Each structure stands twice: as C-alpha cells, then as structure tokens.
Amino acid sequence: MRRIVAVMCVLAMPVVCTAQAGAKFPPDTLTNVKVIPHATPVINVIGTMRNFTSYLGVRCQYCHVGNEGQPLNQFDFVSDEKRTKVVAREMMLMVQEINRRLDTLPVGMGAKLQVTCNTCHRGTTRPVPLATLIVDAGTAAGADSAVRAYRGLRERYYGRDAYDFGEGSLNTAAFRLGGAKKFDEAFAVLKLNEELYPNSSGMSVFRGNISLMKADTVAAEAAFREAVKRDPNNQEAKGRLQAIGKQP
Ligand code: HEC
Ligand code: HEC
C-alpha cells in the first residue's frame, strides 16, 4: 500500500507528497466543518473554497492560518482562529437561508434563482457603497486617510464590477462627512472629485450645500454661482441662491 501511494505521488501529486509528516493537502477527510456536510467529497469543498477566493478577491490566508507563498499543506485549514473564517461561516448560513426562501418566491419565470457570495461581494471583501468606505476612513482617520482610501480602492478595483467610481460616490461621501461636521474631510474629498471630474455643475451645488452646513454663506453663494456658470440650466443651483436670499 505504501508503495502504491508513493507511486501515485510521483505521478499525480508531487507537491502534496513533499509535505512533512501529518500535513497533507488536500486532506483525506473534513475535520471542522459546521455548514458543509461532513460527507462532502473534499474535492468539492476545495472547489467551493476557490470560488470564495474569487468572489471576495482574496487568497486562502484571508480566512485560514497560513502565509502567502507557503505551500497549502502547511496551512491550518481546521483552525477557526481568524475572524473572517467565522464570519464566512455565518455568511454561508445566510446564503443557504436566502436560497431556501428564493425557492418559494414566484419570481424568475421558472428559472432557478440562486444567490452566491458574489451576488453581493463582486470581488470585494466589503460589499458596501464606495461612499460608505470613504466616510468610514475620513471619520476614523481624517482627510488624508479618506483620500488615500479612495485612491487605493480606485487603483485596485477601477473597471471591475465592484465599486462605483463615477462622480456621485465622492459627492455623497462629502455630503455625509459635512453632515457629521467633518468639514476638512468633506472638502478634501470634494477637491479630489474635482480633479477627477472637473467643471461639474452638480459638484458645485454639493460644495455650496456643504458650505451652508458650515454656516459659510459667502462660500455657499460663490459655489452656487460657479454651478450656474458651469451650467446655466442648473435650476437647483438657482433655487439654492434664491433660498439664501441672493439673485440667481
Ligand atoms: C472567505 C473565507 C474563506 C476563504 C477565502 C477560504 N476558506 Fe476554506 N473554509 C472557510 C470556512 C468558513 C470553512 C468551514 C466551513 C464549514 O464550517 O462548513 C472552510 C473550510 C476549509 C477546509 C476544511 C477544513 C476542515 O476542517 O476539514 C479546507 C480544506 C479549506 N477550507 C481550504 C481552503 C483553501 C484551499 C482555500 C483557498 C483556495 C480556502 N479554504 C479559502 C472559509 C474560507
Ligand atoms: C446579501 C449580501 C451578501 C452575501 C450573499 C454574502 N455577503 Fe459577505 N458580507 C456582506 C456585507 C454587507 C458584509 C459587511 C461589509 C462591511 O460593512 O464591512 C459582508 C462581510 C463579509 C465578510 C467580512 C469582511 C471583513 O473584512 O470584515 C466575509 C469574510 C464575508 N462577508 C464572506 C462571505 C461569503 C464567504 C459569502 C458566501 C458564502 C458571503 N459573504 C455572502 C454581504 C453579503
């Protein structure tokens, strides 16, 4: 038997067979699975796991104990040490629950509806609006951090089906930061947006509205006037000027 295993190793799985004693990838059996049924063939589990990595845009070590570049047989896939693995397990249960409910919905014209991690995640670990991530960064760590967060996310995800890098996201982020009286952060974010989308009339209205939150009517008037200059048909900007007692 040993001999047969050894021969198979050479032929089929040389990487696995260079492992130290005890460590083996893929494992023969499942040890610590609470959502995946125990009898599931390991090969199918590995397939599910590969899907997770592409759905979330990560590698195995995002959820499992192990390092980049380390052979998989040295990973500890059994351990529940990482918070992300524990969250992922909850997410698996949630997806099962959603799909159970979808089965009973009269939608889809007979086609089977199936939710996966990717329905929400689309290659990211945090499937939330981009504005939320920028507001979080600005609130937690200031203007530079908000700008850095945006640039980093844009670098990584632009052109993917992940986050909306259109003009609206940073306007929304700036507006929310202004609402939380984080004015430096709000204006830093608008400045970045202005670089990316110069001469937007709508963005000038945002600038004016945030200036009003700051009770800076001089800056607000200038911003609303700039909006009208950029687009003479911007009725919202004209309305805002009237609202603060200025002739449009
Ligand atoms: C998003 C998080 C996540 C990623 C990424 C991920 N896994 Fe997992 N993995 C889990 C969870 C959660 C379980 C436990 C499932 C359960 O409890 O039913 C698990 C279980 C396993 C198991 C079974 C361990 C045991 O207890 O027997 C193996 C093997 C495994 N993963 C391999 C991988 C490999 C290989 C990769 C990379 C290709 C990977 N995983 C990527 C979350 C992840
Ligand atoms: C219905 C939408 C939805 C589905 C489906 C979904 N997730 Fe999530 N997931 C979320 C949201 C929302 C968050 C929290 C994002 C945030 O605010 O950080 C999240 C967070 C996570 C996190 C924690 C990220 C972190 O860094 O804190 C993991 C891990 C994760 N999901 C894994 C999965 C896996 C694996 C699946 C498929 C089995 C899945 N999710 C399916 C919406 C979803």
Side-chain angles (χ1 to χ4, degrees), residues 97-165:
E97 178 69 25
I98 292 172
N99 283 323
R100 259 197 301 277
R101 289 182 182 221
L102 280 177
D103 282 343
T104 66
L105 284 180
V107 291
M109 317 287 281
K112 179 139 177 65
L113 287 178
Q114 181 92 43
V115 163
T116 68
C117 316
N118 207 39
T119 308
C120 297
H121 279 268
R122 295 174 184 272
T124 74
T125 54
R126 298 195 58 193
V128 295
L130 180 55
T132 304
L133 297 179
I134 304 310
V135 170
D136 284 359
T139 309
D144 289 351
S145 171
V147 168
R148 228 179 303 120
Y150 184 87
R151 288 196 194 283
L153 289 163
R154 190 178 161 100
E155 179 78 32
R156 177 158 180 202
Y157 293 110
Y158 190 87
R160 306 289 194 88
D161 188 13
Y163 294 116
D164 179 0
F165 292 101

Side-chain angles (χ1 to χ4, degrees), residues 26-70:
D28 292 324
T29 52
L30 300 171
T31 308
N32 178 26
V33 289
K34 297 181 172 147
V35 182
I36 297 168
H38 248 280
T40 310
V42 172
I43 186 88
N44 296 3
V45 175
I46 304 300
T48 300
M49 294 296 145
R50 290 206 192 288
N51 286 341
F52 283 1
T53 61
S54 81
Y55 293 159
L56 272 70
V58 296
R59 322 256 299 180
C60 310
Q61 63 267 25
Y62 176 72
C63 294
H64 294 290
V65 178
N67 295 314
E68 179 65 43
Q70 208 177 20

Side-chain angles (χ1 to χ4, degrees), residues 1-17 24 28:
M1 186 62 198
R2 247 194 186 290
R3 216 194 131 114
I4 294 171
V5 171
V7 170
M8 276 180 60
C9 284
V10 171
L11 292 178
M13 298 184 287
V15 177
V16 170
C17 298
K24 188 171 182 300
D28 292 324

